[in-house]
Amino acid sequence: MANKPQKFRSTGGAKRNKPVKIRGNTISKPLLKSPKQVDVPSTKPAVRTHNTEESSLREDNDLIYGRHPVLAALENQRHLNRIWITSRLRYDPRFHSLVTQAKENGAVIDEVESKRLDQITHHANHQGIAAQIAPYAYSDLGELIDQAKATESPVIVAVEGITDPHNLGAIIRTAEAIGAQGLVIPQRRAAGITSSVMKAAAGALENFPVARVVNFSRALEELKEAGFWIYGTAATASQPLHTVQFSGSIVLVIGAEGEGLSLLTQRCCDVLVSIPLLGNTPSLNASVAAGMALYEIYRQRWLNMLHLENLK
């Protein structure tokens, strides 16, 4: 494997017409309605009323559904306002005591038919259960760094421009499963933590902090100052993934499909790495690329651990 690379640090629209003023004389007498005059119905659309329950789900709280996400929320005692569950699943040994505990903590438990869950989740794969949960509480970047640094040689994943919630959820699921310490996402032009992300993450978010930052490049600089090496993935990078020696505190930066990492983000990286491809497909799905890069990082660490144990 190649030696660790040297670290570098970087110290008129269109003209608008003026409104025409119309002056009218003061009318001293009220105008009388002509007998032939017909009231014209207003063209303003009628105000539509929404189901109060479903409206509050969209506006005030987030909805999670599926057995793994809801079970993880119950096990970690997340605050749930309401749970919709089929009678068959409520008395399942995996859920019965946890649902009872959630009820004691103030959650409203509704035993419903599967058709009602179809309506609530808009025909998603709810697997017989859904829950109304408070909006996701993001971690502060400083807190995320402090938590990560409590681990020897921590790994943080940072993603730029991922708009597909299923991709983001898959990245979170892989990162948590393989042992990473957290995730950094930008606040603008990127997906946040929604019910779709929670579903794709399959419960991983209950034990995996996510920081949402206003300035993505500034966040990377803050991570540098905390001692992290920044590795970005780019298709045009000259260093193949398997030739880079990953050690110490690491931030792995993943870009969006097609666009990849922005030039500003690339300049914030200490090292740019590529994943060699032999087929005709020009690029990988972002979550797949993240999984491959994370596995290579931890594969090297596992080999180093085995080597040290053999020396004893």
Side-chain angles (χ1 to χ4, degrees), residues 265-281:
T265 298
Q266 290 186 38
R267 286 195 290 266
C268 291
C269 296
D270 296 308
V271 183
L272 292 175
V273 301
S274 63
I275 300 176
L277 302 175
L278 300 179
N280 295 323
T281 304

Side-chain angles (χ1 to χ4, degrees), residues 231-244 246 252-253 261 269 271-276 293:
Y231 293 87
T233 56
T236 57
S238 59
Q239 297 195 55
L241 179 69
H242 62 278
T243 66
V244 178
F246 296 100
L252 176 66
V253 190
L261 298 179
C269 296
V271 183
L272 292 175
V273 301
S274 63
I275 300 176

Side-chain angles (χ1 to χ4, degrees), residues 9-182:
R9 291 284 187 266
S10 60
T11 53
K15 186 175 181 180
R16 299 176 62 182
N17 294 325
K18 293 184 178 180
V20 179
K21 295 183 179 179
I22 301 176
R23 297 181 181 177
N25 297 325
T26 303
I27 301 175
S28 58
K29 296 181 180 180
L31 293 177
L32 298 177
K33 186 175 180 180
S34 170
K36 295 182 180 181
Q37 187 174 351
V38 180
D39 289 328
V40 179
S42 173
T43 57
K44 186 177 180 180
V47 178
R48 296 181 180 179
T49 58
H50 297 277
N51 180 282
T52 304
E53 179 186 24
E54 294 183 4
S55 178
S56 65
L57 289 178
R58 290 191 299 270
E59 296 174 2
D60 301 328
N61 294 279
D62 212 342
L63 186 73
I64 58 174
Y65 49 86
R67 297 184 184 183
H68 288 297
V70 178
L71 185 61
L74 289 168
E75 290 174 341
N76 287 275
Q77 298 185 0
R78 290 281 302 274
H79 178 66
L80 302 177
N81 296 332
R82 196 166 194 155
I83 299 174
W84 295 266
I85 188 169
T86 60
S87 57
R88 178 180 178 182
L89 193 60
R90 177 170 185 177
Y91 299 100
D92 185 297
R94 295 172 297 173
F95 285 91
H96 182 60
S97 61
L98 292 172
V99 170
T100 302
Q101 184 179 353
K103 183 177 181 180
E104 294 173 354
N105 292 336
V108 177
I109 311 300
D110 286 341
E111 286 190 25
V112 296
E113 297 293 332
S114 183
K115 290 182 178 179
R116 177 60 182 144
L117 281 167
D118 289 340
Q119 294 174 349
I120 293 172
T121 63
H122 301 287
H123 297 276
N125 184 22
H126 52 73
Q127 299 175 318
I129 190 168
Q132 185 184 41
I133 193 169
Y136 182 79
Y138 293 97
S139 298
D140 179 76
L141 180 60
E143 294 176 354
L144 174 58
I145 292 173
D146 291 340
Q147 292 176 10
K149 295 291 283 185
T151 303
E152 183 179 358
S153 300
V155 176
I156 292 176
V157 181
V159 295
E160 181 188 32
I162 302 292
T163 57
D164 184 353
H166 298 92
N167 254 343
L168 182 59
I171 291 172
I172 291 170
R173 182 176 183 176
T174 301
E176 195 282 331
I178 209 166
Q181 276 63 56

